[in-house]
Amino acid sequence: MSTGTAQFEQVASFEPPTVLTSNSLVSLSLSNRTNTLTHGLHRFPAKFIPQVPRWALDAYSSEGSIVLDPFAGSGTTNVEASARGLRSVALDINPLSRLIISAKTTPLDCEEAEAISKRIRILWRPKVGFLESPIAGVANFEHWFIEGSWRELAGLKDAVLKSTNDDEYRTFFLAVFSSILRAVSNADDQSQKTYVSGTRPKIAPPVAATWDNAIVKALAGLSSFVQTSGSLPLSTVPADGNALVINWADESFDLAVTSPPYLDSVDYPYNLMLEHFWLAEELGLASRRDFNNLRHGQVGAKSPISVAELPPFIAQLLDSDELPEYRREAVLSYFHLMNEHFAEMKRVLRNGSRYVFVIGNSSTKIGPLAVHKALVKLAELHGFGLEHAFGYRLRRHYMKFPRAGRGGIILVDWVLTLRKGLTNGMDVQDLVDSHIDADPAGVAH
């Protein structure tokens, strides 16, 4: 694969910033595992690989560092921080994200967890009688699940709740329960969206076998995590997690590592719709309307807030006037909210500390948008200078369907290191405009 004049160098691991030249374009060897520790507990759309926060933590943290991930997603940064004995904070406005992060970063007694798993199996019976949608406002739940699977899942969730009195163990097993929902549903496994194909009908695997396999993997991951990070919880997951309003004192953090939402590319709650529906009560979602409000309230949402215009330098970088009106509104909203976010990050990061964030440039009918450059320029308004940057080719794509230029395919992620107070850093014009010239159908694997 080529990017015009640029080539992706295949590497076994990301080199330290002192070795990895800025503007390098690399392709990480597929021999690297991304599901070690508890990373494989639950699928999550567009999550970054653990090698990225691992690189940032190794490069920029030290003993006693307090790490922040303001768009924590499924907690990849926090798992890696715990593995290094570092305290971290995970912020996310999505309650399902917070549940998954808590399950992945809370060290539990492995023998007790195994005993609970056996108790769940003994108590588990398929639900009998009338089947009711687990969330109000969704009348066609049989569209997503055949009756047998629906009864099995309803009985399984009931067994999990009856077997777990402790909140931490309940969270862990609810996360495992959530992790199998997509697999045993009628939804196509080839798309991130919860899509039931009419042309390629799916035969869902048995719930019992899928649960048994998930439990084995989850307990093994938990054991590995506890052996690595120790028995003390090091990650904090506040219930009011919000990257735009961070309820922490000024200069609280030594390092931030995150992957903010992609611009108008991934509808995170919708891609995990069944998981939100089944855990609606535990997530505080009383109805489908609450779920829709959650979708629309996220940075990068496809139903954005109304914003008049972009700062001139961003408009020039993105040529947003050439975008369709519906996408232009999303662009305006995205950068407005990211501007608020950078203001908060300036406040909570200590002077001289780094903010490492990973961003991909969404493809559109007018070509890839230079989102990485625009965000750097936006961060400069808040006292951050660009210290280091490299791009890596995304090798594992889980969205298999061609998008025909409608956006959504991300081919390169940029790892950008901003430093608070840096005034003589890289110029945004020095950043490579990287894009792989390839058929989207050919890069999805």
Side-chain angles (χ1 to χ4, degrees):
M1 293 292 185
S2 67
T3 60
T5 59
Q7 297 289 326
F8 284 85
E9 177 189 1
Q10 180 158 309
V11 296
S13 61
F14 297 138
E15 297 282 0
T18 53
V19 178
L20 185 61
T21 307
S22 282
N23 266 332
S24 294
L25 295 174
V26 298
S27 179
L28 195 63
S29 169
L30 286 173
S31 62
N32 279 264
R33 294 183 61 197
T34 59
N35 60 351
T36 56
L37 304 175
T38 50
H39 288 304
L41 180 65
H42 199 292
R43 77 178 189 96
F44 200 84
K47 68 178 180 179
F48 62 175
I49 56 177
Q51 284 79 1
V52 175
R54 193 175 301 160
W55 174 87
L57 292 165
D58 289 346
Y60 301 122
S61 71
S62 57
E63 185 177 356
S65 291
I66 303 176
V67 182
L68 170 67
D69 188 337
F71 296 101
S74 63
T76 304
T77 293
N78 307 92
V79 170
E80 288 296 316
S82 294
R84 283 153 181 75
L86 300 174
R87 288 185 293 157
S88 70
V89 173
L91 303 181
D92 207 289
I93 67 170
N94 189 323
L96 179 62
S97 286
R98 297 196 296 268
L99 182 142
I100 295 170
I101 298 166
S102 295
K104 290 170 66 174
T105 60
T106 301
L108 304 176
D109 183 290
C110 295
E111 291 184 359
E112 176 64 15
E114 185 171 3
I116 291 173
S117 73
K118 293 176 179 178
R119 191 155 64 240
I120 291 171
R121 207 64 175 84
I122 292 171
L123 291 175
W124 181 9
R125 297 288 185 279
K127 180 179 175 60
V128 297
F130 178 69
L131 285 172
E132 185 176 9
S133 171
I135 185 171
V138 179
N140 62 332
F141 215 63
E142 65 277 3
H143 176 69
W144 309 109
F145 297 92
I146 62 174
E147 182 179 336
S149 296
W150 189 350
R151 292 189 182 280
E152 289 277 5
L153 288 169
L156 174 57
K157 183 182 176 185
D158 185 57
V160 168
L161 297 178
K162 288 179 179 178
S163 301
T164 52
N165 297 319
D166 187 287
D167 286 343
E168 293 179 342
Y169 287 93
R170 175 168 291 183
T171 294
F172 178 80
F173 284 100
L174 284 175
V176 181
F177 170 78
S178 176
S179 75
I180 72 168
L181 293 171
R182 177 60 175 271
V184 301
S185 75
N186 297 328
D188 196 288
D189 295 324
Q190 302 294 304
S191 171
Q192 284 205 27
K193 291 185 177 181
T194 315
Y195 167 73
V196 177
S197 174
T199 58
R200 296 187 297 180
K202 171 184 168 183
I203 300 177
V207 174
T210 307
W211 168 260
D212 289 342
N213 290 336
I215 281 293
V216 170
K217 294 178 181 178
L219 292 177
L222 174 65
S223 175
S224 176
F225 175 75
V226 172
Q227 291 175 24
T228 304
S229 66
S231 59
L232 297 177
L234 296 172
S235 181
T236 301
V237 189
D240 59 350
N242 189 333
L244 307 182
V245 183
I246 301 173
N247 291 322
W248 247 261
D250 294 357
E251 300 191 358
S252 291
F253 300 100
D254 304 289
L255 173 65
V257 185
T258 199
S259 178
Y262 292 126
L263 166 61
D264 188 25
S265 295
V266 180
D267 188 334
Y268 296 85
Y270 182 65
N271 290 347
L272 293 167
M273 185 168 67
L274 299 180
E275 293 83 348
H276 284 86
F277 286 177
W278 271 102
L279 298 181
E281 182 176 351
E282 290 74 21
L283 301 179
L285 302 173
S287 68
R288 177 67 181 266
R289 177 176 294 181
D290 290 336
F291 171 73
N292 289 339
N293 289 337
L294 175 66
R295 289 178 62 191
H296 300 157
Q298 305 223 353
V299 174
K302 294 180 182 295
S303 299
I305 62 173
S306 178
V307 181
E309 61 183 9
L310 292 172
F313 62 84
I314 293 181
Q316 292 170 4
L317 285 169
L318 297 181
D319 293 326
S320 59
D321 289 338
E322 298 184 26
L323 291 172
E325 184 62 28
Y326 77 96
R327 293 211 76 189
R328 187 172 186 276
E329 291 179 359
V331 170
L332 292 171
S333 172
Y334 180 78
F335 286 104
H336 173 79
L337 296 177
M338 288 302 294
N339 187 58
E340 292 185 13
H341 168 65
F342 283 128
E344 274 292 84
M345 294 303 290
K346 177 184 180 181
R347 183 183 65 79
V348 299
L349 281 173
R350 296 194 173 102
N351 195 45
S353 60
R354 275 93 171 186
Y355 181 13
V356 179
F357 71 97
V358 181
I359 194 70
N361 296 336
S362 179
S363 300
T364 70
K365 288 186 177 180
I366 65 171
L369 301 179
V371 179
H372 64 315
K373 290 187 175 184
L375 287 178
V376 169
K377 294 296 291 184
L378 202 60
E380 287 177 355
L381 298 179
H382 300 280
F384 291 96
L386 181 62
E387 184 177 51
H388 191 271
F390 72 93
Y392 73 95
R393 177 190 164 200
L394 296 181
R395 301 293 297 276
R396 293 179 173 93
H397 290 261
Y398 299 103
M399 186 186 299
K400 308 291 187 180
F401 296 125
R403 300 276 295 169
R406 295 190 299 272
I409 287 288
I410 306 292
L411 303 176
V412 177
D413 263 348
W414 275 98
V415 181
L416 306 172
T417 300
L418 302 172
R419 190 166 188 178
K420 182 179 174 181
L422 180 65
T423 58
N424 59 343
M426 294 173 59
D427 188 90
V428 70
Q429 298 304 324
D430 295 332
L431 282 175
V432 172
D433 284 313
S434 61
H435 182 62
I436 301 174
D437 295 322
D439 180 351
V443 298
H445 54 88

